[in-house]
Amino acid sequence: MTPLIDTFDRVHDNLRISVTDRCNIRCFYCMPEEGVKFQPREEILTFEEIERFVRIAVTMGVRKLRLTGGEPLLRKGLPDLIRRLSAIDGIQDLALTTNAVLLAEQAQELYDAGLRRLNIHLDTLDRERFKQITRRDDFGRVMNGIETALRIGFPVLKINAVAVKNLVEADIVPLARFGREHGIEIRYIEFMPLDAQGIWDHGKVLLADDMIAMLTREIGPLREIPDGDPRAPATEYEFADGKGRVGFIASVSKPFCLNCNRIRLTADGKFRYCLFAIDETDMRVLLRTGAPSPETDQAIANAIRQSVKDKWIGHQINTSKFVPPPRPMYQIGG
Ligand code: SAM
Ligand code: SF4
């Protein structure tokens, strides 16, 4: 089959799959503090349905997968899904994004199932600020998770830190120092308008350029690393002394939509051509209509292709036209 190309000539080979909308913490920029209504179990795709969807997507050129959520480690039997997906011919890369609260218990099993790439979400090394951001007191468990992952030796281990202005300025440098010490790349992600309570505004975004200035001043000069993959969202730098790397996902100050190669499947089986998309395509209904057959697979492939064809040029965060997506981050899958 021909690859998934949209009307702006972008080729889509990177699928992010949310395996649950549940989470064990409550980051304020993602979830509401209380009263979260999770999807009923029967509305969440089964492993068989996810695997079937991926097998179809692979025939259309998908090569990279990332499992996310909600918190993916809350999904029972996740190592089984990792085993199934990494065995699919054509999948070259399988990664997981986690808050690491449950990682110490699960890391070995995930590694044994074939997982090699891990992104751990941690915004601060300060226990009190962790509590303030996540509304839970799990900093110690996250640190245990990171230590366990380091001990096991995941070849790719990165930390995702969400950069919110007037909140995490004091964390930017300590995180980079921690990364330098342990060989972990820190990826700073500009706060995006995907929070459940609509608190985002431009003034709350800690900008990549400001973080680069802080790191340069406090630690030393940074050298941009020439783009290995120009479609990767992060701009990466290494410290000029050769010790450590940092990356910046500047979705707000430097949108990278024109290089986007990503498509998404939510835990309840909705296909999205963009994190910020307003429209979704219901794949669950297609996955559950009729038995798997070349014809029903074709119907799913057609729906994927149509959605990619409809993909917009990009989010309009920096214009008055911007409309936040109807679902917050935890329901989409970051
Ligand atoms: N629970 C896992 C975690 O926290 O890593 C996976 C799902 S979470 C939605 C995926 C990533 O989204 C997180 O690593 C976090 O860095 C990022 N994120 C969540 N809300 C965000 C926001 N409003 N702006 C920018 N990044 C956000
Ligand atoms: Fe949970 Fe991840 Fe959202 Fe934080 S960012 S509330 S860990 S899903």
Side-chain angles (χ1 to χ4, degrees):
M1 264 194 235
T2 50
L4 281 169
I5 305 182
D6 70 6
T7 53
F8 302 95
D9 284 337
R10 294 173 293 199
V11 179
H12 296 78
D13 60 359
N14 189 328
L15 172 65
R16 301 173 80 102
I17 303 169
S18 172
V19 295
T20 180
D21 61 339
R22 281 159 207 264
C23 192
N24 39 8
I25 59 177
R26 291 286 181 278
C27 307
F28 73 88
Y29 41 68
C30 175
M31 286 186 99
E33 185 162 12
E34 279 168 11
V36 191
K37 284 212 171 54
F38 294 114
Q39 306 274 352
R41 184 174 293 260
E42 63 277 11
E43 291 183 10
I44 300 296
L45 294 188
T46 63
F47 287 172
E48 288 71 25
E49 288 166 339
I50 295 174
E51 183 183 346
R52 178 171 169 220
F53 185 87
V54 171
R55 285 189 183 280
I56 296 168
V58 162
T59 66
M60 309 172 89
V62 165
R63 296 289 173 264
K64 292 179 166 194
L65 301 177
R66 176 172 298 276
L67 302 181
T68 179
E71 174 44 40
L73 300 191
L74 287 176
R75 179 79 192 246
K76 278 216 175 63
L78 191 69
D80 178 34
L81 181 65
I82 287 168
R83 232 172 265 115
R84 284 165 179 253
L85 297 181
S86 46
I88 295 176
D89 248 359
I91 291 301
Q92 294 167 354
D93 195 278
L94 175 64
L96 174 79
T97 303
T98 172
N99 64 26
V101 173
L102 297 171
L103 189 60
E105 295 97 291
Q106 297 189 19
Q108 187 65 54
E109 230 193 316
L110 294 167
Y111 187 90
D112 294 343
L115 185 71
R116 293 294 178 269
R117 293 170 68 90
L118 207 48
N119 281 54
I120 293 176
H121 172 200
L122 176 67
D123 304 337
T124 178
L125 294 173
D126 178 279
R127 179 175 163 189
E128 280 311 308
R129 199 149 33 248
F130 181 92
K131 228 156 103 181
Q132 184 189 352
I133 293 172
T134 65
R135 296 137 162 175
R136 296 290 186 272
D137 192 8
D138 282 325
F139 176 70
R141 298 179 79 183
V142 173
M143 293 309 283
N144 274 342
I146 294 175
E147 275 164 33
T148 309
L150 281 168
R151 208 172 41 245
I152 290 171
F154 281 84
V156 183
L157 183 56
K158 296 181 183 174
I159 286 181
N160 287 355
V162 180
V164 183
K165 200 168 176 167
N166 297 326
L167 182 67
V168 298
E169 279 81 349
D171 298 303
I172 302 303
V173 170
L175 276 173
R177 291 211 165 103
F178 179 80
R180 274 158 64 85
E181 204 177 305
H182 296 284
I184 301 176
E185 177 177 332
I186 312 294
R187 297 195 141 193
Y188 301 94
I189 307 175
E190 289 180 348
F191 176 26
M192 294 184 270
L194 293 161
D195 57 296
Q197 287 155 315
I199 57 155
W200 183 92
D201 68 54
H202 269 99
K204 296 196 178 83
V205 184
L206 181 54
L207 301 177
D209 282 349
D210 293 341
M211 294 186 271
I212 291 171
M214 281 180 207
L215 293 171
T216 308
R217 198 171 54 236
E218 301 285 328
I219 301 181
L222 287 166
R223 263 198 309 253
E224 189 168 342
I225 301 169
D227 247 337
D229 177 1
R231 298 178 309 159
T235 312
E236 295 187 302
Y237 296 80
E238 61 183 1
F239 286 98
D241 64 5
K243 267 186 75 185
R245 283 183 170 207
V246 287
F248 298 89
I249 303 190
S251 327
V252 179
S253 63
K254 292 174 191 146
F256 36 82
C257 302
L258 287 176
N259 287 326
C260 183
N261 65 346
R262 285 172 298 283
I263 48 181
R264 291 162 194 276
L265 186 65
T266 65
D268 58 344
K270 305 293 190 301
F271 182 78
R272 302 175 63 86
Y273 57 65
C274 174
L275 186 53
F276 293 94
I278 304 294
D279 300 323
E280 301 178 326
T281 305
D282 190 350
M283 294 294 171
R284 191 182 66 215
V285 77
L286 295 176
L287 285 161
R288 293 183 183 176
T289 303
S293 69
E295 291 72 33
T296 52
D297 283 2
Q298 188 58 50
I300 292 166
N302 292 347
I304 298 175
R305 197 172 294 287
Q306 184 59 47
S307 172
V308 169
K309 221 169 125 204
D310 292 342
K311 179 160 171 159
W312 57 18
I313 188 161
H315 67 66
Q316 303 287 325
I317 293 179
N318 298 312
T319 76
S320 58
K321 283 195 261 172
F322 178 68
V323 181
R327 306 218 257 179
M329 189 64 129
Y330 76 98
Q331 290 182 347
I332 298 172

